[in-house]
Amino acid sequence: MSVYEKEPENTYNPQVIEAKWQSIWRDQGTYNIENNDKREPYYVLCMYPYPSGQAHQGHIRNYTFGDLTVRYRTMQGYGVLSPIGFDSFGLPAENAAIKSGRHPREFTDERIGELKESLMKLGASYDWRREVKSHDPNYIYWNQIIFKKFLDAGLAYRSNAPVNWCPGCKTVLANEQVLADGTCERSGDVVVKRDLEQWFFAITKYADELLSGLEDLEWPERVKIMQRNWIGRSEGAEFSMSIEGRDDLALRVFTTRPDTSFGMTYCVLAPEHPLVSQLTTAEQRSEVESLIERVGSSSDIDRLSTEGEITKRGAFTGSYAINPFNEQPVPIYIADYVLMGYGTGAIMAVPAEDQRDFDFAKAYGLPVIRTVEPPSGWEGEAYSGSGRKINSGFLNGLEVDQAKEQALSWLEGKGIGVRKVNYRLRDWLVSRQRFWGCPIPIIYCDACGMVPVPDEDLPVVAPDDVEFRPTGESPLSYHEEFKSVACPICAKPARRETDTMDTFVDSSWYFMRFCDPWSTGEPFSKQAVEKWMPVDQYIGGIEHAILHLMYARFYVKALCDIGLAPPDLREPFKRLFTQGMIRMEGSKMSKSKGNLVAPAKYYESVGADALRLFHLFVGPPSDDVDWTNQTDNLIEGCHRFLSKVWRLSLDSIASPSTDTIDNLEAKRAGDEAADQTDGQNLGPNRRGSGENTQVDQELIRASHRAIDKVTRDLERWAYNSAVAQIMDLTNQYGKYLREGAGPDSLVLARDTILLLLSPMTPHICAELWERIYGVSQDNTIHHQTWPGADPNLLVSESAMMIVQVNGKLRDKVEVPVGIGEEEATNLILDLPKVRALLDGKSPRKVIARLPNLINVVV
RNA sequence: GCCCGGGUGGUGGAAUCGGUAGACACGGGGGCCUCAAAAGCCCUUGCUCUUACGGGCGUGCGGGUUCGACUCCCGCCCCGGGCACCA
């Protein structure tokens, strides 16, 4: 037992010190920041959480990384904006309301309280004055104002569209909320198609900028790739084909391979294509209609399940189109593999160069004409690679790329086609038939049509006296008082829109509101946004790689264009970090799976600092974490390490070999004066008296190496190896402390450990710093400057040189760092081990990477 | 099917520019301290041959480049993620 631990107040008691410092931070508003702060601004943001009650380990992980960044950047001298809020609209609260009969607001506020408490107990530092909640009437107000501005700008519109309808949730789902197997992401029900009048945001207007804007973002490459794929830009041609015997009709098709037009052997329309009924001949009608029936009313799951029975997937219309390239008629089919929502909803089919067309052609006995010579020995069916054109009239002999260009020019020259860019990205469907969301501020009047709710009547807030029936329908739709309203224009009875907005709308601009949550005249002042935006470091889960991050990017561009945001902002998140997920037995941790591990039990046993340290140490932040039966051991180990830091730090005060506090204070003051002269050394970088022994020199170098390594590791998100480095320094410090090193080196090492650790485990470091230095409240460890390594101390005078013979490690020799090649060669040729291996032969070659390595080739 | 990641001891992981593979931990084994325990400290811990000294093998598999490969190239296998009729 250490000297200090004999006194009860000197044992490491995380619960006591964590509560103490958390209340200090809260009472002092340590991490509050003003918009007129003079320091260089730095905006750190973690994705605001859906309030699900007590935090889960995914939150803990996220907010630990965020808090580390906040504290680290603050120590580097930035004025850091660190806000937090709650994504408090959404389905779970509504479902809970249906079950319990309680109002979702009550339920949500309670959950926010619980989540807030777990975040406070984590010791995360925020400017709580800036808290934003989606369900706050104030936020709803601005959400609705922005919606109206979008409407004015033509960015919000209403359209009757086939939508994904979940019979379980009784609501429309965005494409993104429908899983690949055609089921609802939330309820698992089979999603069906329905035609409904819905609100959309015109995100496709920004398709090109959403794509090109990715270039300059410091985002993980895989997130950018996912977004690029989602946008799905493709270049090609759109051209018209005449219909045999029908001079009144023309068929327009889109293709990315105009060069393959000579290989067109049929055309396909989507079953929903408007020309289908006109093109269908009497004898084909029943066949065509039965296919339309099957495709139209079915769910995607039915549509997909037809895979394999390909002959049920298409029907011949009885009509023929004329291929403009060779004037040949080709039969027109309808088939479910062509989608109405993409391109023109009609394609020219080239089975030789497209596998889907090939499969269809084979099933329907349609011909295959190759237009690109496949490589010799080609065994596949359709060949979509490059090569020389054949069977292609004026394109023969060209390479695919040239032929594409020629075909395009030919189409343009003839005036039958144009170059065309298509996107996979669709407009954002924002209507939700739910209660617990931001109401869409629109009134429908029989006389005046669609009328936006006047600003002075905003916000439109969902009523309190609602009845939650287990029908799945939104209570708004049967709440007469809410629904009935006087038309703002003619005052006659009118109906309110009862749909609410997708909750992704709320999360698309909350980070701007954080800049200026007090703003009353506008959603945020341009000045504040100009100062803080874009977010310097955004941190969140990879699961938001596409939706949230795409929508938020769209929103910022739109807000710039309608004049609410500074025009040149364009992008919200300059740097993005996506953390890995917590897994349990291989599956994603989530409440629905009942596999959450609440932080409370760790707060009570080992404390928040140990839990934070575990999340930093367990592996690379971007990797998934497997929560196993070993995990508690690792957390325990983190606690043991912190106990060691505690003990060794306090022992240093007690140890007669180190300075008294008074002496240290004097020394620090002196060093600060000295620091100003060389302008470089801050914090613990005191050089000492110059009387240090060899042992002291080693510890001093070790401290500087740790500063260097940890700083570089924090910049490259290698928190696990940063922690390892601090552990290593702590082990050395402990050793030197026992061996009685001098005070300069011990104090340096101890302070270095505490400073480097302070953004990671803030409570214990603040407490120890206070016990050592007795600092006042505005001079805690978190007010210290991040240490800088002295480059001169990073290199040693001697190095361990690896001696290799034929590339294999054979020996190690300590050499001076400046050793020359000749000297090194002579030295190693004399080594007994090398001599034995040479066996009298002379070396053929010597490769030297001095002073670290030398390799003799025999 | 296409596009991304990844595969290193019993476990989590490290090796940042092609130069000591396994840092730092967890777990295991042994010891010290103790009446005893907890805590702490010390030693040990990739596999394998050897009493030892010392050797051999080793980063999913098979090749290649190089004085030298976890790292680069080619071809496979396995795991995870994203997209999936987007013409």
Side-chain angles (χ1 to χ4, degrees):
Chain A
M1 182 178 275
S2 73
V3 185
Y4 254 60
E5 275 182 298
K6 288 191 177 121
E7 306 297 323
E9 70 270 25
N10 289 331
T11 56
Y12 176 42
N13 189 338
Q15 288 71 31
V16 171
I17 63 165
E18 286 174 7
K20 167 184 159 183
W21 285 97
Q22 283 161 18
S23 77
I24 289 174
W25 297 330
R26 191 175 51 243
D27 296 348
Q28 291 192 341
T30 308
Y31 285 87
N32 288 353
I33 188 147
E34 306 308 326
N35 279 351
N36 61 7
D37 188 273
K38 294 288 186 294
R39 292 167 290 180
E40 191 180 337
Y42 198 97
Y43 188 173
V44 179
L45 185 65
C46 290
M47 292 178 182
Y48 77 155
Y50 177 80
S52 53
Q54 210 189 115
H56 55 70
Q57 294 299 332
H59 289 133
I60 297 298
R61 199 166 168 71
N62 196 184
Y63 299 112
T64 296
F65 297 155
D67 192 45
L68 164 56
T69 310
V70 170
R71 294 177 186 274
Y72 169 58
R73 295 295 177 199
T74 301
M75 288 174 82
Q76 284 186 323
Y78 292 98
V80 176
L81 172 62
S82 170
I84 189 157
F86 300 93
D87 186 15
S88 48
F89 271 137
L91 220 41
E94 191 160 344
N95 290 340
I98 293 163
K99 255 190 210 158
S100 66
R102 292 171 68 199
H103 195 280
R105 179 178 299 108
E106 217 179 290
F107 177 83
T108 299
D109 288 340
E110 197 177 286
R111 293 303 177 91
I112 288 176
E114 287 172 41
L115 183 50
K116 239 181 187 174
E117 195 198 333
S118 348
L119 293 179
M120 297 255 191
K121 285 193 169 165
L122 183 66
S125 42
Y126 301 109
D127 184 346
W128 283 102
R129 304 168 307 164
R130 295 176 186 257
E131 179 180 345
V132 163
K133 291 179 274 199
S134 305
H135 76 297
D136 187 325
N138 209 322
Y139 196 72
I140 292 172
Y141 174 83
W142 291 114
N143 239 344
Q144 291 170 341
I145 291 281
I146 293 170
F147 183 94
K148 284 176 64 186
K149 298 246 186 199
F150 276 16
L151 189 61
D152 293 343
L155 289 170
Y157 66 93
R158 223 164 121 74
S159 172
N160 198 346
V163 294
N164 303 303
W165 176 262
C166 172
C169 306
K170 293 210 170 139
T171 190
V172 163
L173 303 177
N175 284 336
E176 300 82 330
Q177 291 164 326
V178 183
L179 300 180
D181 65 356
T183 60
C184 170
E185 161 187 74
R186 280 188 198 276
S187 70
D189 287 292
V190 175
V191 174
V192 297
K193 293 283 177 200
R194 255 205 199 180
D195 262 5
L196 277 181
E197 190 81 349
Q198 302 283 311
W199 283 98
F200 290 86
F201 283 160
I203 189 171
T204 52
K205 284 193 179 172
Y206 289 91
D208 247 331
E209 199 194 332
L210 286 166
L211 186 66
S212 62
L214 289 170
E215 306 270 326
D216 302 322
L217 298 177
E218 294 171 52
W219 285 19
E221 203 50 42
R222 66 169 170 154
V223 175
K224 291 196 199 182
I225 289 167
M226 280 193 244
Q227 293 221 341
R228 274 188 207 114
N229 293 342
W230 191 260
I231 295 166
R233 181 192 149 100
S234 63
E235 278 178 44
E238 197 178 293
F239 66 89
S240 292
M241 294 201 285
S242 48
I243 310 294
E244 198 172 58
R246 294 295 298 267
D247 292 345
D248 56 323
L249 297 178
L251 181 61
R252 222 162 153 79
V253 295
F254 172 73
T255 180
T256 55
R257 293 291 304 274
D259 64 292
T260 64
S261 301
F262 286 94
M264 176 196 325
T265 55
Y266 61 100
C267 283
V268 188
L269 303 188
E272 306 91 335
H273 196 285
L275 288 181
V276 169
S277 80
Q278 291 179 78
L279 290 175
T280 304
T281 58
E283 55 271 30
Q284 293 301 112
R285 193 154 298 274
S286 70
E287 198 186 326
V288 165
E289 279 174 355
S290 85
L291 181 71
I292 292 172
E293 167 78 15
R294 191 179 64 73
V295 173
S297 65
S298 74
S299 63
D300 283 354
I301 225 168
D302 286 345
R303 205 162 158 163
L304 283 166
S305 71
T306 60
E307 203 105 62
E309 313 168 53
I310 198 157
T311 50
K312 286 189 186 165
R313 304 186 59 195
F316 178 44
T317 60
S319 295
Y320 292 82
I322 306 297
N323 180 351
F325 284 81
N326 58 14
E327 304 295 331
Q328 294 298 306
V330 293
I332 302 174
Y333 280 75
I334 65 168
D336 65 358
Y337 79 93
V338 173
L339 309 174
M340 195 55 225
Y342 186 77
T344 60
I347 62 156
M348 65 171 200
V350 185
E353 276 97 32
D354 183 293
Q355 189 62 42
R356 293 160 302 178
D357 295 345
F358 187 95
D359 293 340
F360 190 86
K362 214 163 70 180
Y364 286 83
L366 293 157
V368 177
I369 302 169
R370 292 215 182 266
T371 75
V372 181
E373 200 162 61
S376 65
W378 172 254
E379 281 171 23
E381 297 171 329
Y383 173 70
S384 58
S386 59
R388 210 167 48 89
K389 299 304 296 185
I390 51 173
N391 301 324
S392 292
F394 65 90
L395 300 175
N396 279 335
L398 297 173
E399 285 296 312
V400 166
D401 284 348
Q402 297 168 297
K404 249 185 213 174
E405 194 48 43
Q406 290 274 308
L408 277 163
S409 308
W410 184 85
L411 283 168
E412 285 177 326
K414 287 259 178 179
I416 49 178
V418 290
R419 283 159 209 271
K420 184 76 199 270
V421 174
N422 265 322
Y423 298 93
R424 210 188 71 109
L425 182 72
R426 303 297 150 80
D427 275 345
W428 175 12
L429 196 161
V430 295
S431 299
R432 294 292 181 274
Q433 292 67 46
R434 307 300 314 194
F435 171 81
W436 194 233
C438 178
I440 294 172
I442 298 292
I443 290 165
Y444 301 102
C445 169
D446 288 337
C448 311
M450 185 190 84
V451 183
V453 176
D455 287 3
E456 58 270 25
D457 295 340
L458 296 181
V460 177
V461 182
D464 281 335
D465 57 332
V466 282
E467 189 192 339
F468 287 91
R469 303 176 194 162
T471 60
E473 248 178 310
S474 164
L476 291 180
S477 63
Y478 46 78
H479 192 282
E480 275 313 313
E481 214 174 308
F482 178 80
K483 245 173 106 172
S484 315
V485 63
C487 169
I489 297 173
C490 68
K492 282 185 204 143
R495 293 164 293 113
R496 231 184 244 293
E497 169 71 81
T498 56
D499 283 356
T500 53
M501 298 182 209
D502 183 358
T503 54
F504 278 117
V505 171
D506 310 326
S507 54
S508 288
W509 68 281
Y510 74 104
F511 43 88
M512 313 260 274
R513 182 71 183 166
F514 277 149
C515 297
D516 186 12
W518 306 282
S519 174
T520 51
E522 44 195 345
F524 37 80
S525 74
K526 272 191 203 151
Q527 210 183 0
V529 165
E530 202 119 33
K531 177 185 173 87
W532 297 112
M533 293 289 295
V535 174
D536 291 281
Q537 184 62 63
Y538 198 35
I539 307 169
I542 185 71
E543 64 272 21
H544 293 114
I546 298 174
L547 303 186
H548 162 57
L549 290 168
M550 185 83 75
Y551 293 147
R553 294 181 62 219
F554 155 69
Y555 238 74
V556 167
K557 291 172 197 307
L559 289 169
C560 290
D561 287 342
I562 63 178
L564 285 176
D568 53 353
L569 176 59
R570 311 311 296 177
E571 289 287 345
F573 314 121
K574 188 161 125 197
R575 219 169 284 119
L576 170 73
F577 184 84
T578 48
Q579 69 192 66
M581 294 182 300
I582 310 281
R583 305 174 159 281
M584 274 195 107
E585 285 115 39
S587 64
K588 190 190 162 192
M589 216 186 220
S590 72
K591 196 156 203 176
S592 58
K593 298 203 175 86
N595 57 6
L596 301 176
V597 180
K601 76 177 246 212
Y602 298 104
Y603 292 160
E604 283 154 26
S605 57
V606 293
D609 279 338
L611 183 60
R612 292 168 62 120
L613 192 65
F614 160 76
H615 278 288
L616 296 168
F617 186 53
V618 68
S622 54
D623 283 9
D624 288 352
V625 177
D626 267 312
W627 202 274
T628 68
N629 51 7
Q630 291 300 302
T631 302
D632 279 4
N633 278 331
L634 299 178
I635 295 172
E636 193 58 46
C638 289
H639 172 68
R640 265 202 308 269
F641 168 71
L642 292 177
S643 305
K644 186 195 282 187
V645 170
W646 177 269
R647 199 169 56 242
L648 293 177
S649 298
L650 294 184
D651 279 355
S652 77
I653 305 176
S655 164
S657 69
T658 51
D659 289 5
T660 63
I661 288 167
D662 286 349
N663 284 347
L664 283 166
E665 287 288 278
K667 194 176 277 287
R668 288 178 67 77
D671 283 347
E672 269 157 38
D675 286 346
Q676 282 169 2
T677 56
D678 66 14
Q680 179 185 32
N681 294 326
L682 298 163
N685 290 0
R686 61 182 68 77
R687 285 270 180 73
S689 56
E691 299 290 317
N692 293 312
T693 64
Q694 186 75 33
V695 166
D696 291 318
Q697 281 300 335
E698 271 170 48
L699 187 54
I700 289 165
R701 284 180 199 282
S703 300
H704 281 263
R705 274 198 303 272
I707 292 167
D708 178 62
K709 169 86 170 133
V710 170
T711 306
R712 286 184 296 117
D713 279 349
L714 295 193
E715 294 294 338
R716 68 184 184 112
W717 292 85
Y719 297 158
N720 52 332
S721 89
V723 173
Q725 188 65 40
I726 299 172
M727 288 176 168
D728 197 50
L729 179 61
T730 305
N731 291 341
Q732 291 191 57
Y733 167 67
K735 190 180 107 189
Y736 288 118
L737 184 65
R738 281 190 298 276
E739 289 172 4
D744 287 348
S745 61
L746 286 174
V747 168
L748 171 68
R750 181 198 62 204
D751 288 1
T752 299
I753 292 163
L754 294 180
L755 287 166
L756 296 180
L757 212 45
S758 66
M760 303 177 174
T761 56
H763 312 86
I764 185 175
C765 295
E767 179 67 20
L768 287 169
W769 197 264
E770 187 186 65
R771 288 185 184 218
I772 292 163
Y773 291 117
V775 288
S776 57
Q777 288 194 335
D778 57 358
N779 195 28
T780 69
I781 193 165
H782 304 297
H783 293 86
Q784 305 304 310
T785 301
W786 187 255
D790 180 345
N792 297 319
L793 291 171
L794 296 179
V795 286
S796 317
E797 283 151 24
S798 64
M800 193 55 80
M801 183 170 71
I802 303 308
V803 181
Q804 294 183 338
V805 176
N806 288 333
K808 276 188 187 292
L809 172 72
R810 294 299 169 183
D811 209 347
K812 300 174 190 183
V813 209
E814 183 149 352
V815 294
V817 287
I819 191 166
E821 187 163 339
E822 203 182 310
E823 195 186 342
T825 306
N826 292 336
L827 177 71
I828 60 143
L829 289 179
D830 244 14
L831 293 169
K833 284 179 188 167
V834 176
R835 283 243 287 269
L837 281 153
L838 282 180
D839 197 24
K841 286 169 280 189
S842 60
R844 208 176 73 205
K845 201 170 161 191
V846 174
I847 290 145
R849 292 283 177 277
L850 297 173
N852 298 316
L853 181 137
I854 190 157
N855 184 15
V856 188
V857 187
V858 189

